Amino acid sequence: RKEVEQDPGPFNVPEGATVAFNCTYSNSASQSFFWYRQDCRKEPKLLMSVYSSGNEDGRFTAQLNRASQYISLLIRDSKLSDSATYLCVVNDSSYKLIFGSGTRLLVRP
Amino acid sequence: DAGVTQSPTHLIKTRGQQVTLRCSPISGHKSVSWYQQVLGQGPQFIFQYYEKEERGRGNFPDRFSARQFPNYSSELNVNALLLGDSALYLCASSPPQNSDTDTQYFGPGTRLTVL
């Protein structure tokens, strides 16, 4: 079983749509959680950290369910510029990030 | 402030050769991590260095080695290159341990092609 699992997609949605990505992780001792965004042939960039209480940043909302070892990302009012690969990331120690394989999002006009 | 920088941006080598990749962390960051990303996969952890000491190592063969210098920059060395080493090599830096975040910030990467 992979340490961090994501649906690879692609998710193909029209502008303005709401889309949700899910992720599961295997290590119950994992300490912190992130969503990174990666554009084609570029480096991953931090989108947001994920907290148990849930957190929101504009059109983006992230949730963490420690009991189910499940992380989600919700994007509202999708823009063309949201097209990218979204990486679910878990920090299982003080130094090591474990990445999922990514979920690809395509937003069409 | 400058972000994480890496050099070179692209590199082409042949099987059996050796390669050295370089990384400079964000100013004030003392920790550098290296990741390998092959096409279609998420980055895989190779090493982390903190204050010039290796803190962690991923599941990579001994052909991969790294070091960190007094100015916190780092080099990743790969010996006896294989075709499967072709990948994007990413360097990330993170704030000091006493900060309130463990976020890692990535450089633009070095794209290595092994022929």
Side-chain angles (χ1 to χ4, degrees):
Chain A
R1 180 186 173 190
K2 287 185 178 179
E3 293 178 274
V4 178
E5 295 206 57
Q6 297 182 250
D7 181 342
F11 285 62
N12 191 327
V13 303
E15 271 188 291
T18 296
V19 61
F21 305 140
N22 302 317
C23 164
T24 58
Y25 61 96
S26 60
N27 184 357
S28 60
S30 298
Q31 299 176 2
S32 51
F33 309 87
F34 309 92
W35 284 100
Y36 277 74
R37 169 196 169 128
Q38 187 171 29
D39 294 291
C40 188
R41 303 182 73 82
K42 299 287 189 180
E43 74 273 25
K45 292 187 176 177
L46 179 68
L47 181 65
M48 58 198 308
S49 301
V50 188
Y51 306 112
S52 296
S53 55
N55 48 304
E56 185 174 315
D57 182 2
R59 298 180 294 108
F60 300 85
T61 300
Q63 294 276 355
L64 166 66
N65 184 322
R66 285 189 181 268
S68 302
Q69 295 176 210
Y70 172 95
I71 307 162
S72 65
L73 177 68
L74 183 76
I75 305 176
R76 291 181 298 277
D77 188 23
S78 297
K79 311 292 185 190
L80 295 177
S81 57
D82 294 334
S83 296
T85 295
Y86 291 83
L87 297 162
C88 177
V89 185
V90 172
N91 188 337
D92 74 342
S93 67
S94 61
Y95 58 83
K96 179 181 173 183
L97 294 183
I98 301 173
F99 286 78
S101 296
T103 298
R104 193 168 166 213
L105 172 65
L106 302 172
V107 182
R108 64 181 186 272
Chain B
D1 284 341
V4 178
T5 60
Q6 292 186 245
S7 64
T9 54
H10 295 84
L11 206 49
I12 299 175
K13 292 286 190 178
T14 57
R15 281 177 296 176
Q17 285 189 308
Q18 176 264 341
V19 67
T20 297
L21 311 181
R22 295 175 176 84
C23 170
S24 291
I26 293 170
S27 177
H29 288 191
K30 299 181 179 181
S31 173
V32 169
S33 301
W34 288 94
Y35 293 81
Q36 180 198 64
Q37 186 175 25
V38 299
L39 198 62
Q41 298 295 319
Q44 297 290 312
F45 174 76
I46 308 176
F47 285 111
Q48 189 184 81
Y49 277 76
Y50 179 77
E51 291 279 16
K52 302 183 289 296
E53 297 290 327
E54 181 184 304
R55 289 179 66 193
R57 182 186 184 110
N59 188 23
F60 281 81
D62 291 344
R63 300 184 296 108
F64 289 76
S65 63
R67 56 181 176 168
Q68 188 177 32
F69 299 99
N71 66 353
Y72 304 111
S73 67
S74 178
E75 287 183 351
L76 175 70
N77 296 285
V78 187
N79 293 323
L81 285 167
L82 302 174
L83 295 179
D85 295 331
S86 295
L88 179 67
Y89 287 85
L90 294 159
C91 174
S93 75
S94 46
Q97 282 184 293
N98 59 355
S99 68
D100 60 359
T101 176
D102 56 358
T103 303
Q104 295 188 16
Y105 299 91
F106 286 84
T110 294
R111 190 163 299 278
L112 173 64
T113 302
V114 182
L115 303 176

